[in-house]
Amino acid sequence: MEEIFYDAADVAKLLGISKSKAYTVIRALNNELAAKGFMVLAGRVSKKYFAEKFYGTKE
C-alpha cells in the first residue's frame, strides 16, 4: 500500500532544509488542517496537502 503521508525526513529532502525546520513546516501545515476540522498526525503531513501548498497542484 502506498504511503499517503510525508515525515520530516521526506519534507527536509524535498525542500532542501534541515530536519528540525521540516518539523516546523509540518506543524504549520497541520495547524492549518486542524483549523479546517481535519484530523492530523504529529510529525506527518498529507502528501496531497503538501503538494497543494508548495506546488499549487490538486488531484
Side-chain angles (χ1 to χ4, degrees):
M1 186 162 98
E2 183 181 345
E3 294 289 327
I4 61 171
F5 293 99
Y6 286 134
D7 63 11
D10 297 325
V11 172
K13 185 175 180 179
L14 287 167
L15 299 179
I17 58 177
S18 69
K19 198 169 176 182
S20 62
K21 182 65 177 175
Y23 278 113
T24 303
V25 170
I26 291 171
R27 191 175 307 112
L29 294 174
N30 281 341
N31 286 342
E32 291 177 13
L33 284 169
K36 293 179 182 181
F38 291 95
M39 299 284 295
V40 296
L41 295 173
R44 306 230 186 259
V45 65
S46 160
K47 286 182 175 182
K48 287 183 180 182
Y49 193 66
F50 180 87
E52 180 181 328
K53 293 300 284 188
F54 279 90
Y55 306 118
T57 59
K58 289 188 179 183
E59 286 187 352

